[in-house]
Amino acid sequence: MKCPFCRCDNDRVIETRTSDDGFVIRRRRACQSCKKRYTTYERIEIVNIRVVKRDGTRVPFDREKLRQGIERACWKRPVREAQISELVASLETRLEGETEVSTQRVGELAMELLRKLDEIAYIRFASVYQDFANVQDFATALQSMTSEKVVDDGGTESAANVGE
Ligand SMILES: [Zn+2]
């Protein structure tokens, strides 16, 4: 792997780590020439997945666009760049083998993964992606998250299953 700093092709893997779901391998590398460190990700390549939008049009799956949406949701949250990369890679892995996927499905997967990472980021993402119709929807989603932590208070459970 060429060093992104000095372009020298002389690196050494200093750490190899597998993501929680086991679908992504992260390698920490050290350039033997300039001594700088960088990270590479190994994941299953997904090809030819098309996303079906709500109006029925189909567009190629856009990793960057998804990543930007996630990054926006994680703005000023204690989420590291590496965690976002892993999230995107995990999501892609789950789409492996499919040829078409709805925007809704992509959104649900993103929410499911984001929720494990940071609850505020999850809510932000959900509010954009789920297109909450009104304040009540939003409040219900918030409440479902809270009631999961507290002992079951008999609150609404419909929104608690989002993305699961
Ligand atoms: Zn280098």
Side-chain angles (χ1 to χ4, degrees):
M1 187 70 67
K2 269 193 181 175
C3 169
F5 304 102
C6 72
R7 309 264 163 206
C8 190
D9 191 0
N10 181 21
D11 69 297
R12 191 169 61 88
V13 174
I14 51 177
E15 189 196 351
T16 298
R17 216 165 58 78
T18 308
S19 65
D20 290 342
D21 63 8
F23 286 118
V24 183
I25 294 171
R26 182 173 154 212
R27 293 187 212 281
R28 196 81 183 120
R29 296 167 185 268
C31 174
Q32 301 295 81
S33 304
C34 72
K35 308 295 179 198
K36 284 192 175 142
R37 295 181 173 190
Y38 53 99
T39 307
T40 57
Y41 293 91
E42 193 176 307
R43 54 174 178 77
I44 296 162
E45 183 182 38
I46 60 161
V47 284
N48 296 329
I49 286 195
R50 299 186 84 72
V51 176
V52 186
K53 303 211 286 188
R54 276 177 201 173
D55 63 5
T57 55
R58 288 160 169 76
V59 293
F61 176 75
D62 188 341
R63 178 191 303 144
E64 275 314 302
K65 199 175 157 198
L66 172 70
R67 194 192 164 89
Q68 282 164 18
I70 305 276
E71 279 175 350
R72 230 172 283 138
C74 294
W75 176 249
K76 296 206 168 163
R77 295 300 303 161
V79 178
R80 283 176 290 112
E81 187 78 17
Q83 290 176 301
I84 295 176
S85 295
E86 273 174 35
L87 189 153
V88 172
S90 296
L91 192 150
E92 284 191 297
T93 305
R94 293 181 193 208
L95 300 178
E96 172 67 7
E98 299 188 39
T99 50
E100 280 190 350
V101 63
S102 65
T103 46
Q104 194 193 347
R105 172 95 177 113
V106 174
E108 282 169 2
L109 278 171
M111 285 191 284
E112 181 189 330
L113 295 165
L114 206 47
R115 190 173 194 170
K116 292 177 194 159
L117 216 56
D118 186 273
E119 290 194 343
I120 300 296
Y122 161 77
I123 277 292
R124 280 185 192 153
F125 189 87
S127 68
V128 174
Y129 230 92
Q130 264 191 333
D131 239 350
F132 285 132
N134 54 49
V135 178
Q136 188 53 46
D137 283 357
F138 194 74
T140 306
L142 271 173
Q143 195 195 342
S144 76
M145 289 172 60
T146 318
S147 60
E148 268 177 25
K149 280 189 175 167
V150 188
V151 186
D152 184 22
D153 60 2
T156 54
E157 56 178 32
S158 57
N161 296 324
V162 165
E164 281 171 14

